Amino acid sequence: MDDNLKIVGKRVVRSDSYAKVTGSALYTADLKLPGMLVAKVLRSPYPHAKIISIDVSGALKVPGVKAAVSGFDAYGVKWGVFRYTQDHAMLPTDKVRYIGEDVAAVAAVDEETALEGLSRIKVEYEPLDAVFDPVESMKDGAPQIHNEYKNNINIHVHIDVGEVDKAMAKAYLVREDTFKAAGEAYAMMEPYAVVASYANGYLDLWMPNAGPHVRAKALSNLLKIPLNRVRVRHINSGGAFGGRSEVAPGDLVASLLTIKSGRPVKLVLSREENATSSRQVHDIVATVKTGMKKDGTIVAKDYKVIYDGGAYSSTGPIATSIPFYVYEECYRFPNVRYNGYRVFTNKGIRGMYGCHGRAFLAGNEAQMDMMAKELGLDPVDVRLKNGLTAGEMTATKSKITSCGLKDTIIEASEKTNFKKRWKKKEKNRGIGMGCVAIMCGFPMGFRSGSSCYVKINDDGQVTLVTGLVDNGQGNESMVIQVASEVLGVPMEDINLVNADTEVTNLDPGAYSQAAAYVGANAVKAACENVRKRLISIASEKLGVPESDIDLKDRIAYSIKQPDKRMPISWIAREAFFRGEPIVATGSFFPDIDFEREWVTRPWGQMAGTFSFGTSVAEVEVDYETGKIIVPRFTAAHDCGRPINPMAVEGQMEGSIQQAGIATITEGNMWYRGFLLNPDLLEYKVPLACDMPEIDTIIVSSHDPKGPFGAKEGGLTVRMNAYSAIACAFTNATGILFEELPLTPDKVLNLLEKNKGVK
Amino acid sequence: MILPKFEYKKARTIEEALEIYSQYNGEAFYLAGGTDLVPLLKHRLFNPKVVIDIKGIEELKTITKKGGNLLVGPNATLYELKGTPEIQEKLPCLFQSLDATSCETLQMRGTIGGNIMQNTRCLQYNKSLEWRTARGFCYKMGGKTCNVVLNAKACYSNYCGDNAPSLMTVDAKARIVGPTGEKTIKVEKLFSGDGKEPFTVKPGEILKGIIIPLKETKGAYEKLTVRGSIDYPLVGVAVTIKDGSAKVGVTGIGPCPRVYELKEVNEKEINNIADKAYEDAKPVLNAVLTPAYRKKMVGVLIKRVFKRIEKGGSR
Amino acid sequence: MKTVKVTINVNNEKIKLQVKPYETLLETLRERLALTGAKEACSLGSCGSCTVLLNGTPVRSCLILTPEVDGASITTIEGLKEDGKLHPLQEAFMEKGAVQCGFCTSGMIMTAKGLLNRNKKPSRAEIIKSISSNICRCTGYKKIVEAVEEASKKMA
């Protein structure tokens, strides 16, 4: 069937776009329920302080205030993704640990009244010494943020493969550099919002989320309500990028308020609150030591990476590991040591990010180019030499099943005339290349798989039910496209019911790059089961063998005698007559080593498959002002077979903005625990006029297990675009970057420090 | 984010606006485009009893040519002004600074009067009430310290208007009307130099018009930003050359724009002015790029603008 | 506090309202008129997600007081269809893949509509300049620029 695809692989209009271009697509803040109250949160003004008392009674005296809560109204449960990271109460009763932390909240008839209520809440604090720098925080004597974690070290991931010291000693060339990067803001356009409604013992919730099932589970724990009584409902999401993966303090706040008031509650964060008090991205300090042979072969890598983890664990072990893995899934490291430390500081809560790890990844790649130059080699050859190929194992024992890395390197470099331009560079101009791999899913226990339920309705139209969620990347449209292909009905005949925990089954969510490989595979499996039933009945009715029947344009027909045909709707009705309506389930569970654990056993198969990508950036550096201009950016991506190439391109182009151009514009700025740019004015999301000319190259390949050969689409660019910019900067100036973002002040500083280098 | 409570009054004449202002004992703000005022109000940086909408006052809107001058009503939008043929033909520096202001949509709403009279900015000032309360109030909020510079005696907020420096280089004047009458002053005289109270206009006074001499000039505006649109200048340099002499305006750095005069346009003079402007610039860590860098760019950009003019002027 | 009487023409419908004097146009549209296509993303005029047309010109509705627009015509994304048919901009945004999460989309389309109102055949540079009034976090803008180009072609 793959060779003759009717709709998969085509540039189709996304199923969700009509609602979005007409303004009728609903997001959480757009919802209105009868009797709905408005919630507002009182936040900590201290980076670190003991809570002596919280008195919300004053708020309740304000006419129109219907409920007021603090952590003392919660159930004393702390949230953590892992058993060993359960440290986040969401509404604290012992201490506040960052400025902006949720302390108490009210629900009132309108926002003005809610604000009035907040002003009547009395909180007594005893301020404590605070620490804001992760390196300082690790030192003896630093203020202890959680009692359970000595030296504020939240997570230490230690990986040691081969004999690093020996190999390093024997290496022809060894280089060690330290790279820093400011944490980014997710800056999703939709500020965080929750609507919660508690009635008859059931809690219904709407919020932008990247995994409704894990969200419901977390809230069930926090609220001590049975899981089936917490229902996370479907709603559009205005961007996530990793920042909507975990349960949020606002979820607990809104839930407690609706339970207390008996009325629906809506909490919408301001842009500033979204930045200070929803999740942030880790600041990173990465020390990278590399040993190379004379021919450019990497013989050893030794890493020490410090992640500024903010006040709580969050996805700690995962965040501490991912930058390393996406790199070891790309290159062959016979000997490698990784020490990743996630360290608590008195700053906002952090999470995973689509572009997570830029100091580490860009640092590795830029250093590789410096070493290549010293050895008289060029970046393309060094990457091809060290790049993994299909059939190989990564250092931590993941098998690479399909691999188009080499093709992405070759196609991107040929398209940009890379080799020639890198060597014979023009004044102040540079070209650079970044490569990376992405795991399509990672171990999440029994939540690693997805399943789908499909029914054919009496008019031949289709209902798909899946836990898969869409944060704007096009997952919903993708599975409708897959179902359309398998069932021979147009996309508009397919209704999707998804991401609603009451009716949909478990799905890994949209934060482990598993939507295409796992979620769409489950949809495909379910649709294939339905297809079998349709064909079986059609074969009987048309009197031709099953193997002679295909489905197309809502019709089942004989391939050999095309006049023998019947509408799919007739088959559906026939099935109803027989008392066996056409319904089916299908599921997909990836081949993962479930003994693998992020800290205690960091080896074994990470994911079912991996995608690959190469980015090439061209830069011009203004030596007077330090400004970097990026005239052109080329990205090549092996995403298996692209299900909707237009959607994959969109992901790649967005990644060039969010990871690539962000390299010269984006970073959170702090004054002690105060976030200085929690807005969309001083936090610099690149604009249309800041974008380069973009070339996207989709290197079509075929993953043996992916749905129609598909893998994750787009994220590789999100994790190599900064590397390309950093490498191009090095090519232009002969200097390695020290800290991202490469804003003009930092660039000029580097140029002055390194005068004479070329 | 909701606004604080205030009343809304529409004034049809300047007299009416002044009258409402005094009725409310000065606890009032004049509203034109609102692109500067509304965010300040949302952040509770001001809590007026009334907002007086002056957009309906006809005489504040017009752009007319009179004698050798262009008389510009302060409520003319930046976009309208940018489209004025006289400005496009004769005043390239002003045209470029108008074009470089924020973004097209805000140029269409923002007025020249509001742009000139915009409040000074600081990373620790333009924040919500909650953020500022946690941080503690600084001079500009009525407190007793500066949150950026330890032991500072004054407020270091930055004046970030793009167009006042251009107007200064073309010798523009401002007409001010208030309870005590009317006066005409040079644009540079609008600025007090104090970040806390950046303007010399007295409570209730209204900017009534801008008088721009229409002479053939050469010039250009150079603006340092991180992004190509929406951003305020981190440093802005306006240069106009007229009859062999030149004026240089510097903005985005410190509480007021500055203007410098070159009797002759030659390399030595340009370098002198660049050095002097560099010396005068006293940036602090209250914008997104480092102070040392911004200071340095004052000189760099001045030299660059002159070079650009020499090569033909436009960007 | 006294409310203010206003009459506005919203998407070709004359509407009389009593609003708070300090109510923004965005609040009126979203909360009173259930026109939630315009989004509140920054509330400070920095992003353009709340863009609507005021007498044909794009404005940030989060920066405008509703009393200011008494007597004016407002067009929101919900009013862009003509005779039940999508506007060419809406079609082009769909066909070119210019929509991802969708949160900036209505503001982006209204900004583009404002541009096409004053310039029927904008150059690529003019399109980029104009939509640089708005922030999109998902798309990298390339397909948005292509969509505006396509729409202006369709309308020619």
Side-chain angles (χ1 to χ4, degrees):
Chain A
M1 193 160 73
D2 283 16
D3 303 325
N4 192 20
L5 296 177
K6 297 168 206 103
I7 184 155
V8 161
K10 303 280 190 299
R11 304 172 73 84
V12 302
V13 170
R14 275 172 51 169
S15 60
D16 55 328
S17 55
Y18 183 89
K20 289 174 178 174
V21 301
T22 53
S24 57
L26 289 179
Y27 298 79
T28 305
D30 303 334
L31 296 179
K32 258 190 179 171
L33 299 176
M36 191 164 78
L37 302 173
V38 175
K40 280 277 158 194
V41 176
L42 184 69
R43 303 187 176 281
S44 167
Y46 295 104
H48 198 191
K50 218 166 133 182
I51 295 170
I52 308 295
S53 65
I54 304 175
D55 179 6
V56 300
S57 62
L60 293 167
K61 290 184 189 129
V62 176
V65 170
K66 303 293 178 189
V69 297
S70 74
F72 294 104
D73 299 287
Y75 302 89
V77 180
K78 290 183 176 177
W79 163 252
V81 179
F82 301 85
R83 274 180 212 288
Y84 53 91
T85 62
Q86 289 173 350
D87 51 35
H88 194 185
M90 302 274 158
L91 276 171
T93 50
D94 56 344
K95 293 204 286 189
V96 288
R97 293 174 175 86
Y98 66 94
I99 295 166
E101 181 159 13
D102 304 54
V103 172
V106 302
V109 289
D110 58 29
E111 192 171 337
E112 284 170 29
T113 312
L115 288 171
E116 177 63 28
L118 280 194
S119 71
R120 309 289 181 90
I121 294 176
K122 290 201 176 87
V123 186
E124 203 185 327
Y125 296 102
E126 182 188 314
L128 301 168
D129 286 343
V131 59
F132 307 105
D133 178 272
V135 177
E136 292 301 312
S137 186
M138 287 168 89
K139 289 181 181 161
D140 286 333
Q144 185 80 8
I145 298 172
H146 294 269
N147 293 333
E148 304 85 343
Y149 302 93
K150 191 167 178 293
N151 287 71
N152 293 316
I153 296 171
N154 167 219
I155 296 292
H156 175 202
V157 172
H158 176 72
I159 293 163
D160 206 334
V161 177
E163 295 190 79
V164 173
D165 297 324
K166 243 189 209 168
M168 209 64 93
K170 280 207 296 197
Y172 178 79
L173 181 64
V174 175
R175 192 179 165 114
E176 181 178 320
D177 298 285
T178 295
F179 306 94
K180 286 167 97 171
E184 299 101 307
Y186 295 98
M188 50 294 258
M189 291 313 292
E190 180 190 19
Y192 196 68
V194 196
V195 168
S197 174
Y198 185 72
N200 308 314
Y202 286 84
L203 177 64
D204 286 296
L205 292 138
W206 294 261
M207 81 286 273
N209 70 78
H213 292 278
V214 288
R215 189 70 62 109
K217 176 64 181 142
L219 283 164
S220 151
N221 288 4
L222 283 163
L223 295 161
K224 296 196 168 173
I225 297 178
L227 184 55
N228 72 325
R229 288 176 175 254
V230 180
R231 303 184 293 208
V232 173
R233 300 303 199 184
H234 176 267
I235 189 83
N236 285 297
S237 157
F241 316 115
R244 303 295 193 224
S245 307
E246 274 181 90
V247 63
D251 303 345
L252 178 68
V253 165
S255 299
L256 291 174
L257 287 169
T258 182
I259 291 168
K260 273 244 151 134
S261 65
R263 288 167 66 166
V265 169
K266 174 154 83 181
L267 171 66
V268 181
L269 300 198
S270 69
R271 173 56 52 185
E272 187 181 292
E273 290 177 298
N274 191 66
T276 60
S277 310
S278 81
R279 301 213 178 253
Q280 302 166 350
V281 179
H282 297 71
D283 309 59
I284 295 174
V285 185
T287 301
V288 178
K289 187 175 177 186
T290 305
M292 258 188 197
K293 277 197 208 168
K294 203 171 178 180
D295 69 354
T297 306
I298 297 167
V299 293
K301 283 274 188 187
D302 193 358
Y303 295 118
K304 182 181 177 187
V305 187
I306 296 171
Y307 298 84
D308 183 341
Y312 294 97
S313 274
S314 173
T315 48
I318 307 176
T320 317
S321 308
I322 291 287
F324 170 74
Y325 286 118
V326 297
Y327 207 57
E328 71 127 27
E329 289 157 5
C330 183
Y331 295 113
R332 199 177 299 112
F333 300 146
N335 304 285
V336 59
R337 181 160 54 218
Y338 177 78
N339 279 298
Y341 298 91
R342 189 177 187 277
V343 183
F344 288 125
T345 58
N346 291 111
K347 298 202 295 228
I349 51 177
R350 273 98 206 271
M352 285 294 298
Y353 185 39
C355 321
H356 184 52
R358 60 180 179 167
F360 175 83
L361 292 162
N364 266 287
E365 292 282 277
Q367 187 195 56
M368 175 144 64
D369 286 5
M370 287 296 262
M371 294 176 80
K373 194 173 154 191
E374 204 172 327
L375 296 171
L377 303 169
D378 88 77
V380 177
D381 294 338
V382 171
R383 282 166 177 77
L384 286 172
K385 182 183 286 287
N386 291 289
L388 288 171
T389 53
E392 282 192 81
M393 300 290 278
T394 71
T396 65
K397 298 184 185 146
S398 274
K399 189 171 182 183
I400 304 294
T401 47
S402 72
C403 181
L405 174 64
K406 193 177 155 188
D407 304 314
T408 66
I409 295 172
I410 290 170
E411 291 208 25
S413 57
E414 281 176 358
K415 176 102 187 174
T416 54
N417 198 9
F418 188 94
K419 285 188 160 208
K420 203 171 154 199
R421 292 175 63 191
W422 189 79
K423 203 180 273 172
K424 204 187 138 206
K425 61 181 210 62
E426 299 162 65
K427 195 167 175 273
N428 302 350
R429 289 183 175 215
I431 189 164
M433 174 180 282
C435 299
V436 84
I438 300 287
M439 59 287 257
C440 302
F442 48 65
M444 287 191 283
F446 61 85
R447 290 193 178 84
S448 309
S450 181
S451 48
C452 173
Y453 164 77
V454 185
K455 68 182 174 110
I456 307 290
N457 301 305
D458 46 334
D459 57 355
Q461 303 228 336
V462 180
T463 303
L464 280 185
V465 183
T466 164
L468 174 126
V469 65
D470 195 329
N471 293 120
Q473 62 274 72
N475 291 339
E476 291 178 357
S477 184
M478 171 181 70
V479 294
I480 290 174
Q481 207 179 339
V482 165
S484 166
E485 181 70 48
V486 178
L487 298 173
V489 301
M491 284 174 71
E492 61 264 28
D493 281 13
I494 299 169
N495 284 0
L496 182 67
V497 178
N498 68 308
D500 178 321
T501 59
E502 184 168 41
V503 289
T504 66
N505 234 316
L506 284 181
D507 176 87
Y511 50 86
S512 66
Q513 306 81 244
Y517 185 71
V518 179
N521 241 333
V523 170
K524 180 168 176 267
C527 291
E528 278 167 352
N529 289 337
V530 160
R531 181 185 168 91
K532 274 182 211 149
R533 293 272 332 270
L534 291 170
I535 286 179
S536 154
I537 295 175
S539 151
E540 197 183 306
K541 286 283 182 191
L542 298 174
V544 297
E546 289 185 8
S547 59
D548 182 36
I549 289 179
D550 196 7
L551 307 175
K552 195 174 132 184
D553 301 335
R554 307 186 178 108
I555 301 284
Y557 67 100
S558 156
I559 299 162
K560 286 184 190 143
Q561 310 165 66
D563 55 322
K564 290 200 168 183
R565 60 212 316 254
M566 66 190 295
I568 287 171
S569 59
W570 292 11
I571 307 176
R573 290 170 197 175
E574 173 66 22
F576 278 110
F577 251 123
R578 296 179 183 186
E580 292 172 355
I582 296 179
V583 296
T585 59
S587 55
F588 183 81
F589 206 84
D591 284 330
I592 296 179
D593 180 350
F594 286 100
E595 296 298 309
R596 189 183 238 288
E597 206 289 328
W598 299 94
V599 176
T600 55
R601 189 181 179 272
W603 65 86
Q605 191 68 28
M606 169 71 80
T609 193
F610 303 85
S611 70
F612 298 87
T614 299
S615 283
V616 172
E618 296 163 45
V619 305
E620 292 171 18
V621 181
D622 183 329
Y623 270 63
E624 276 180 359
T625 63
K627 271 203 108 159
I628 297 177
I629 293 169
V630 186
R632 185 170 280 275
F633 200 103
T634 307
H637 185 15
D638 159 31
C639 60
R641 183 201 296 273
I643 290 174
N644 181 353
M646 194 161 71
V648 174
E649 283 168 13
Q651 287 299 298
M652 295 168 75
E653 290 156 10
S655 300
I656 291 166
Q657 173 191 4
Q658 200 176 98
I661 305 309
T663 315
I664 56 178
T665 65
E666 289 188 31
N668 276 339
M669 295 174 63
W670 295 89
Y671 172 75
R672 297 174 66 81
F674 289 92
L675 185 57
L676 292 170
N677 52 352
D679 50 39
L680 292 176
L681 178 65
E682 303 300 358
Y683 186 85
K684 307 295 185 186
V685 173
L687 301 166
C689 55
D690 303 313
M691 293 301 294
E693 289 294 322
I694 290 177
D695 283 312
T696 52
I697 304 165
I698 298 175
V699 177
S700 274
S701 67
H702 191 279
D703 186 81
K705 286 196 179 163
F708 301 102
K711 305 192 276 195
E712 169 282 322
L715 202 80
T716 54
V717 186
R718 207 148 287 207
M719 292 184 110
N720 67 22
Y722 33 66
S723 307
I725 299 271
C727 290
F729 173 75
T730 298
N731 182 235
T733 60
I735 305 166
L736 269 184
F737 81 92
E738 291 175 6
E739 191 176 354
L740 302 179
L742 278 166
T743 45
D745 48 351
K746 292 202 196 79
V747 170
L748 202 67
N749 219 356
L750 275 176
L751 293 173
E752 280 170 6
K753 256 171 56 181
N754 292 277
K755 252 190 186 137
V757 174
K758 212 57 222 249
Chain B
M1 207 188 308
I2 56 171
L3 280 159
K5 286 190 176 124
F6 52 73
E7 284 184 59
Y8 171 88
K9 300 278 177 195
K10 209 165 208 156
R12 272 164 222 87
T13 61
I14 291 178
E15 293 68 35
E16 201 184 338
L18 294 173
E19 201 183 301
I20 301 168
Y21 192 93
S22 64
Q23 266 172 29
Y24 283 83
N25 294 322
E27 290 187 70
F29 268 89
Y30 295 126
L31 168 71
T35 55
D36 186 48
L37 179 64
V38 174
L40 293 169
L41 297 176
K42 283 193 174 174
H43 277 155
R44 272 68 178 164
L45 285 158
F46 299 101
N47 294 290
K49 281 212 170 107
V50 66
V51 161
I52 308 163
D53 188 349
I54 56 171
K55 273 191 297 298
I57 303 174
E58 265 322 301
E59 63 175 307
L60 297 184
K61 274 190 225 178
T62 50
I63 303 173
T64 49
K65 221 174 120 174
K66 195 175 171 192
N69 294 319
L70 197 65
L71 305 183
V72 176
N75 287 353
T77 67
L78 301 171
Y79 197 78
E80 281 164 357
L81 213 50
K82 191 170 87 173
T84 308
E86 288 82 1
I87 291 177
Q88 292 183 348
E89 286 154 21
K90 297 197 161 131
L91 308 171
C93 174
L94 179 59
F95 172 78
Q96 288 178 23
S97 67
L98 289 163
D99 192 42
T101 307
S102 189
C103 61
E104 267 191 10
T105 301
L106 289 173
Q107 286 170 15
M108 287 185 233
R109 185 72 182 170
T111 63
I112 184 66
N115 185 265
I116 296 169
M117 303 295 282
Q118 67 179 270
N119 210 324
T120 54
R121 308 183 61 85
C122 169
L123 277 183
Q124 302 210 32
Y125 176 73
N126 299 93
K127 291 283 182 287
S128 73
L129 179 61
E130 294 74 21
W131 195 104
R132 291 182 294 113
T133 305
R135 181 73 185 98
F137 281 11
C138 68
Y139 285 133
K140 200 169 164 64
M141 310 166 198
K144 292 202 163 70
T145 52
C146 168
N147 283 338
V148 177
V149 181
L150 202 66
N151 302 323
K153 295 275 178 293
C155 169
Y156 283 90
S157 53
N158 296 308
Y159 176 74
C160 298
D162 281 297
N163 299 297
S166 309
L167 288 167
M168 281 153 47
T169 67
V170 298
D171 303 318
K173 293 193 177 89
R175 290 168 70 195
I176 307 289
V177 58
T180 55
E182 203 174 317
K183 62 185 171 189
T184 300
I185 57 172
K186 287 177 161 181
V187 167
E188 43 267 53
K189 295 286 177 202
L190 286 169
F191 301 95
S192 70
D194 174 7
K196 188 169 183 276
E197 298 280 353
F199 297 98
T200 55
V201 293
K202 301 205 171 58
E205 286 184 336
I206 293 177
L207 176 62
K208 190 181 172 186
I210 301 138
I211 305 163
I212 307 173
L214 280 176
K215 297 213 174 112
E216 293 291 335
T217 67
K218 287 196 285 182
Y221 180 67
E222 185 87 32
K223 174 176 179 176
L224 179 80
T225 53
V226 175
R227 301 184 294 193
S229 183
I230 300 181
D231 288 2
Y232 287 99
L234 292 155
V235 176
V237 171
V239 172
T240 295
I241 303 176
K242 188 173 59 182
D243 304 331
S245 68
K247 280 192 174 178
V248 176
V250 177
T251 189
I253 201 158
C256 67
R258 293 171 192 276
V259 66
Y260 301 91
E261 212 173 332
L262 285 78
K263 293 264 178 302
E264 267 177 76
V265 182
N266 57 44
E267 206 182 324
K268 196 179 149 211
E269 276 287 291
I270 293 167
N271 288 342
N272 277 344
I273 291 297
D275 290 347
K276 181 155 178 21
Y278 171 83
E279 285 304 322
D280 288 347
K282 303 264 185 309
V284 299
L285 190 47
N286 61 357
V288 296
L289 301 178
T290 62
Y293 171 77
R294 288 168 60 221
K295 185 172 167 79
K296 187 161 210 171
M297 285 306 108
V298 173
V300 168
L301 292 191
I302 289 175
K303 289 177 201 167
R304 183 169 279 209
V305 181
F306 276 104
K307 255 183 222 151
R308 224 177 72 203
I309 296 168
E310 205 180 282
K311 280 189 199 151
S314 68
R315 15 172 87 208
Chain C
M1 190 160 286
K2 273 207 305 217
T3 55
V4 182
K5 261 192 213 165
V6 294
T7 306
I8 6 176
N9 187 311
V10 181
N11 299 333
N12 287 322
E13 190 186 337
K14 198 171 157 185
I15 297 174
K16 288 186 178 180
L17 293 167
Q18 296 267 359
V19 300
K20 293 178 283 186
Y22 50 92
E23 182 169 317
T24 64
L25 177 59
L26 180 61
E27 270 177 273
T28 304
L29 294 171
R30 289 180 54 84
E31 303 298 329
R32 286 186 199 277
L33 304 177
L35 295 169
T36 55
K39 300 298 181 206
E40 182 167 12
C42 79
S43 207
L44 296 170
S46 312
C47 78
S49 303
C50 63
T51 304
V52 300
L53 299 183
L54 167 59
N55 298 329
T57 299
V59 290
R60 315 271 219 232
S61 62
C62 74
L63 296 183
I64 290 180
L65 306 179
T66 304
E68 286 182 77
V69 300
D70 184 23
S73 283
I74 305 292
T75 310
T76 72
I77 188 78
E78 292 91 343
L80 210 52
K81 278 202 242 175
E82 275 171 33
D83 308 321
K85 267 187 66 188
L86 290 182
H87 186 276
L89 272 166
Q90 293 172 307
E91 277 179 5
F93 267 63
M94 291 178 69
E95 285 161 9
K96 291 287 171 184
V99 180
Q100 289 191 27
C101 88
F103 210 77
C104 79
T105 303
S106 57
M108 202 60 96
I109 290 177
M110 297 318 282
T111 298
K113 176 73 167 85
L115 171 65
L116 297 183
N117 281 353
R118 58 183 190 274
N119 181 356
K120 286 200 165 45
K121 282 179 110 180
S123 66
R124 178 167 270 240
E126 286 168 333
I127 294 169
I128 290 173
K129 184 168 187 175
S130 194
I131 65 159
S132 291
S133 299
N134 295 49
I135 298 179
C136 167
R137 188 55 160 165
C138 298
T139 62
Y141 306 99
K142 186 180 177 189
K143 297 197 183 318
I144 294 176
V145 174
E146 287 168 1
V148 180
E149 271 179 333
E150 174 73 14
S152 101
K153 259 188 237 157
K154 274 189 185 180
M155 290 165 74

